[in-house]
Amino acid sequence: RQIQNSDIGAMRNQWLVADIRDMPFQSSSFDLVIDKGTFDAFEASPIRSPDQGTHASDADGVASLFKEVNRVLKVSADAAWLQFTHTAPELRLEVLSRVAQREAWHIGYKSLGEDENGFEYFVYFLRRRPKFELVRAERDQVAAQVGLFVEEAEASAARACLSGATHVDEERYVV
């Protein structure tokens, strides 16, 4: 049989079935999580608890989804969770702000336009807010940003690494 272009992509992917509330990945495994419909499903219907007993509330389902994505997403200012959906900002931003506020996330969105049926689609992006900024400050020059970091240990490691290559005079923290 001749290989079709669509078969090539499938051969490079590994597919698995797992509970999104308990994914079989180590913590901080991914730079990017792409969501097309999962958050919508959790937001729209009650979620059965893992023991298949009582139903959790919608808020509990969304919170459990967020908690697990938070766990598998790398703790980095560059890591992101993208959500593609038709849910309007006035609805989605309220829910995202409620579950993500404690985790210090930056939440943004962009309209992707309407499809042929008049449905408007959006992409929402969640990125961890950097808490630390590493700057290089040389005498009589404007300080230059070297990087933004979520964790202090990551910022300190970058500073130590740069100290060997260049002179780093100052580490400034941004909250």
Side-chain angles (χ1 to χ4, degrees), residues 19-170:
D19 185 339
I20 190 72
R21 298 165 294 178
D22 186 23
M23 291 187 272
F25 305 111
Q26 293 181 0
S27 297
S28 297
S29 294
F30 298 99
D31 293 308
L32 178 65
V33 172
I34 299 174
D35 174 348
K36 174 58 183 104
T38 305
F39 195 94
D40 295 335
F42 273 73
E43 191 176 35
S45 65
I47 306 299
R48 281 197 169 278
S49 63
D51 65 4
Q52 299 299 310
T54 61
H55 287 276
S57 71
D58 296 350
D60 291 341
V62 168
S64 67
L65 170 63
F66 183 84
K67 181 179 177 184
E68 187 63 359
V69 171
N70 182 46
R71 184 187 70 78
V72 299
L73 196 62
K74 288 184 179 176
V75 181
S76 165
D78 294 327
W81 179 9
L82 299 180
Q83 298 178 354
F84 294 89
T85 182
H86 57 80
T87 302
E90 56 270 15
L91 301 173
R92 178 58 56 94
L93 292 174
E94 179 183 334
V95 175
L96 289 175
S97 295
R98 193 171 55 239
V99 295
Q101 188 174 22
R102 289 168 275 153
E103 301 296 335
W105 292 78
H106 169 74
I107 304 167
Y109 72 94
K110 180 179 180 174
S111 172
L112 300 175
E114 293 182 2
D115 67 10
E116 63 276 358
N117 297 315
F119 284 103
E120 185 174 12
Y121 285 84
F122 301 89
V123 60
Y124 293 87
F125 46 92
L126 290 84
R127 296 179 81 167
R128 298 179 195 280
R129 286 192 190 277
K131 298 176 186 170
F132 303 93
E133 177 183 22
L134 182 60
V135 297
R136 182 177 58 234
E138 297 180 15
R139 291 188 185 128
D140 303 327
Q141 291 187 5
V142 177
Q145 183 185 76
V146 176
L148 296 172
F149 303 93
V150 175
E151 294 186 328
E152 185 174 14
E154 185 183 24
S156 296
R159 181 176 189 213
C161 183
L162 286 172
S163 293
T166 63
H167 181 67
V168 178
D169 291 326
E170 174 186 339

